[in-house]
Amino acid sequence: MNARLNMFDNEIAAKFGKRFANAAMVINQASLPKATQELVSLRASQINGCGFCTDMHTKDAAAAGETSVRLHLVAAWREATVFTEAERAALALAEEGTRLADAHHGVSDETWAEVRKHYDDDQTVALVCLVALINAANRMNVIVRNPAGSYQPGMFAAMLD
C-alpha cells in the first residue's frame, strides 16, 4: 500500500512538517507527563482511524518504556484499571476534543473539571494543544492514506531545530 501523495518528499510539506514538529517540541517540553502525551496521541489516532499515527505513538510509547498492557487497553480505557485518574481525565478530553462533531457542545464541563483537578495551567494548555496537533496530524495522514508499519522511533528527529 502506498500513500496517495508522499508528504515526506514534497518541499511544501517538508517546510510545514518542520514547523509542525517544532510545535510538537513545545508540547514535549511541557511538564505534561510523556506517558500521558503518548496515550492521548494514541487514543485520538485510534478514533480518527490514522494507522500511521497509531503506529508511531504505539512505538514511541513502547520505546519510552510504556507497557504493552496499557497500550493494548487504550481503546478500552474506560473499562481498564491500568490508568490513573489523571490519565483517564486526559483520555476523556482527547476523546471529546477529537469527536467535536459528535457532541455539538465539545468538551463537557465534567471532563473539563476532571482535567483541571489533575493538571495545572501549563499542563492543561499542553494537553489542549496536543489534542489539536494530533488531530491535525491524523487528518493529513488519513487524507493522503499514509500507510502504517514503517515508522521507527526517532525518525523525525532531523526535522527539529
Side-chain angles (χ1 to χ4, degrees):
M1 170 186 241
N2 293 318
R4 290 175 166 164
L5 177 68
N6 187 337
M7 296 285 284
F8 303 109
D9 284 343
N10 179 279
E11 182 181 348
I12 293 170
K15 287 179 183 178
F16 182 81
K18 185 175 183 73
R19 284 149 184 87
F20 200 85
N22 282 308
M25 190 169 59
V26 172
I27 297 166
N28 290 335
Q29 292 171 347
S31 62
L32 183 66
K34 302 297 182 249
T36 302
Q37 291 182 39
E38 293 299 341
L39 295 172
V40 163
S41 295
L42 177 56
R43 186 62 190 128
S45 299
Q46 291 170 336
I47 292 166
N48 288 322
C50 183
F52 186 84
C53 291
T54 298
D55 181 38
M56 179 170 67
H57 293 290
T58 299
K59 289 176 179 174
D60 282 347
E66 187 59 76
T67 69
S68 60
V69 170
R70 283 169 43 95
L71 291 174
H72 291 303
L73 289 175
V74 167
W77 65 269
R78 281 184 172 79
E79 293 80 28
T81 59
V82 297
F83 302 105
T84 67
E85 289 302 313
E87 289 168 338
R88 297 169 74 72
L91 288 165
L93 182 74
E95 285 192 0
E96 292 177 25
T98 296
R99 293 184 163 141
L100 293 175
D102 297 343
H104 71 280
H105 296 293
V107 174
S108 69
D109 290 339
E110 295 79 16
T111 294
W112 187 255
E114 281 299 306
V115 166
R116 296 305 289 154
K117 182 165 63 171
H118 296 286
Y119 298 103
D120 64 25
D121 287 352
D122 289 347
Q123 292 169 324
T124 301
V125 167
L127 190 53
V128 169
C129 292
L130 176 62
V131 171
L133 195 67
I134 190 59
N135 274 279
N138 291 163
R139 279 149 179 75
M140 287 184 286
N141 284 301
V142 169
I143 289 167
V144 301
R145 292 188 184 160
N146 201 10
S150 64
Y151 178 79
Q152 296 298 316
M155 70 185 263
F156 296 128
M159 296 177 85
L160 301 174
D161 281 337

